[in-house]
Amino acid sequence: MPGLDFDVILQRWPEFLVGARATIIYSGISLFFASAIGLAVALARMSRVTPLRWFARGYIDFVRGTPALVQIFFVYFGLPAIGINLSAPTAAVVALSINSGGYLAEIFRGGIASVDRGQAEAARSLGMSGAESMRRIILPQAVLRVVPAAAGEFTNLVKGTSLLSTISVTELTRVAQVIVGTTFRPIEAYLAIAVIYFILNAFIAQGAVWLERRLMRAQGLIHV
Amino acid sequence: MSEPMVRITGLRKSFGSNEVLRGIDLSVEKGTTIAVIGPSGSGKSTLLRCVNHLDPPTAGSIEIDGEPMSLRPDAPYRRQEAQLNRMRSQVGMVFQRFNLFPHRSAIGNVMEGLLVVRRMAEPEARRIAAAMLDRVGLAAKMDAYPAQLSGGQQQRVAIARSLVMEPKVMLFDEATSALDPELVDEVLTVMRELAAEGLTMIVVTHEMGFARDVARSVVFMDQGVIVEQAAPQDIFVAPQHDRTRQFLRKVLHH
Ligand SMILES: Nc1ncnc2c1ncn2[C@@H]1O[C@H](COP(=O)(O)OP(=O)(O)OP(=O)(O)O)[C@@H](O)[C@H]1O
Ligand SMILES: [Mg+2]
């Protein structure tokens, strides 16, 4: 058995850097759109307009009930058949946002539902509209409660970007594949990107703790 | 006699097949306090919640100062909501469990309605809110958050939060029931002052002393109806109905 050789891999660090940057950018942009989708779908899910509720329900169930890889293929290979041609990077962001939006919608809904009913009642009894009460009273409290679960979903999103290698988007996993193709060092290459993914997610976990404390402080829930 | 501040007519409320309010008629004269007493489950909270439509009535009507709380159900949804929001801003409500906004300081809680509902500029709202907190004895606690306040202080902030809207009527739903006994008085004192200043109030309470001293009229409810309504000196001394007698015997001698 030939020994492990990390030198060959480490020499390729500029490519890993490019891959890591792409992974961060794809998951970051997708997180942004996924959050917007997630909030909209969560609110639709609780709307008094029945068709909106049905749509939201269908969206959530569909996204969570089908493989992310199939969703990516559908957007990239499927949509051109009906005249929608997206570049691979665009398709990547679209598919990941749609996917993650479904999970975030349920997380947000749970957060909103966890706020005591008395809060909305107090707001409405002051004369606030439903939207004002949601924006000023319910959502600020819900945000705080969903930080840990949303961070978990962000982690899933980062890991999910590895699926983009299948549509030839340059990101960490794709970079590793290419490097393996020329160096024939799969153990070293995949171990290297595993460590990078792990570090990225450790940052997310740490960031979530920081954000949670910051929000709590801003809302007067910790006093130091 | 002038137009009452609150006029409740033929009020009914069902939850599913459970009819909780079964035809309530009640008027509250301007500047007076009505105390509502009755056993648990008799519908006292539901009555208050129907007045400001936190629970929409199944039948009957609520008028505040001659104006209907809600439009007819065939009015467009947006107009109904606008009417409700406008009317609710004129009806203060104080809850048993305070329901302060935990993410706002004491003064933030009190300013919230002024900023959002009255669309007041921040400096003015702050000035008015500060004066109101001072009035309920909490000038020193303006920047404290609810979690840092005692129950009695929280309830006084909640009262200030409602008062600052200059409501035509205030609804109190067992405002002191969740408080440790030694904190009850500070809240009752504020409520007594409000009554003395001529605020119109409907007070659901187990504090018979408060009802006797402050209320113009005491309403005894049981099983979704008003069994008896009389001046405190009459109802506490010579209740007309058996059910009232039994209830009073229980609460006055425990
Ligand atoms: N949202 C609701 N859904 C279903 N039933 C309800 C609801 N709110 C109240 N009820 C029922 O209505 C009845 C009256 O309740 P309500 O809270 O008005 O009584 P109460 O007189 O305030 O009692 P308490 O002194 O215990 O506060 C009870 O039987 C209760 O179970
Ligand atoms: Mg009650």
Side-chain angles (χ1 to χ4, degrees), chain B residues 6-63:
Chain B
V6 182
R7 190 202 301 274
I8 302 169
T9 318
L11 173 62
R12 291 177 177 275
K13 176 65 184 178
S14 301
F15 294 104
S17 61
N18 179 18
E19 189 167 48
V20 172
L21 296 178
R22 299 183 292 143
I24 302 272
D25 296 286
L26 180 65
S27 288
V28 187
E29 299 307 322
K30 285 183 178 140
T32 69
T33 293
I34 282 202
V36 180
I37 62 174
S40 182
S42 56
K44 308 181 295 295
S45 296
T46 306
L47 171 62
L48 289 193
R49 296 167 57 83
C50 279
V51 169
N52 72 357
H53 282 47
L54 280 184
D55 284 333
T58 309
S61 73
I62 311 288
E63 280 171 31

Side-chain angles (χ1 to χ4, degrees), chain B residues 185-201:
Chain B
D185 275 341
E186 62 189 65
V187 172
L188 287 184
T189 302
V190 170
M191 291 169 63
R192 277 176 214 271
E193 286 167 7
L194 295 177
E197 290 166 22
L199 187 66
T200 310
M201 315 202 287

Side-chain angles (χ1 to χ4, degrees), chain A residues 48 116-119 121-130 132 136-137 140-141 218-221 223, chain B residues 49 52 54 77 81 85 88-89 91 93 95 99-104 112 116-117 119 145 148 161 165:
Chain A
R48 56 178 195 91
D116 181 60
R117 263 187 52 190
Q119 292 291 306
E121 291 180 351
R124 299 309 297 275
S125 73
L126 288 172
M128 281 190 217
S129 69
E132 286 164 344
R136 303 268 312 183
I137 305 302
Q141 297 182 54
Q219 300 188 1
L221 299 175
H223 316 281
Chain B
R49 296 167 57 83
N52 72 357
L54 280 184
Y77 176 80
E81 282 295 295
N85 294 338
R88 281 192 182 127
S89 76
V91 178
M93 181 142 192
F95 301 86
N99 296 349
L100 286 185
F101 306 133
H103 59 305
R104 298 254 191 276
E112 188 70 14
V116 180
V117 180
R119 309 206 185 285
Y145 282 84
Q148 299 169 304
R161 175 176 69 179
M165 304 297 286

Side-chain angles (χ1 to χ4, degrees), chain B residues 44-45 96 173-174:
Chain B
K44 308 181 295 295
S45 296
Q96 186 173 347
D173 191 2
E174 300 195 31

Side-chain angles (χ1 to χ4, degrees), chain B residues 121-233:
Chain B
E122 146 111 31
E124 196 187 357
R126 183 169 292 277
R127 190 175 51 72
I128 295 174
M132 194 57 79
L133 279 172
D134 187 35
R135 179 173 167 191
V136 297
L138 290 172
K141 295 288 182 184
M142 301 217 203
D143 296 318
Y145 282 84
Q148 299 169 304
L149 297 172
S150 74
Q153 292 169 336
Q154 288 187 55
Q155 192 61 297
R156 284 185 283 151
V157 173
I159 292 173
R161 175 176 69 179
S162 287
L163 277 181
V164 87
M165 304 297 286
E166 301 184 334
K168 290 183 167 171
V169 55
M170 285 275 281
L171 314 173
F172 291 84
D173 191 2
E174 300 195 31
T176 59
S177 295
L179 298 178
D180 292 334
E182 72 272 19
L183 301 178
V184 167
D185 275 341
E186 62 189 65
V187 172
L188 287 184
T189 302
V190 170
M191 291 169 63
R192 277 176 214 271
E193 286 167 7
L194 295 177
E197 290 166 22
L199 187 66
T200 310
M201 315 202 287
I202 307 181
V203 181
V204 171
T205 186
H206 290 306
E207 298 287 338
M208 296 303 148
F210 178 86
R212 191 186 52 224
D213 299 344
V214 175
R216 161 83 56 94
S217 161
V218 177
V219 166
F220 172 68
M221 278 182 72
D222 194 16
Q223 297 180 14
V225 297
I226 293 177
V227 175
E228 186 165 354
Q229 174 176 12
Q233 60 269 27

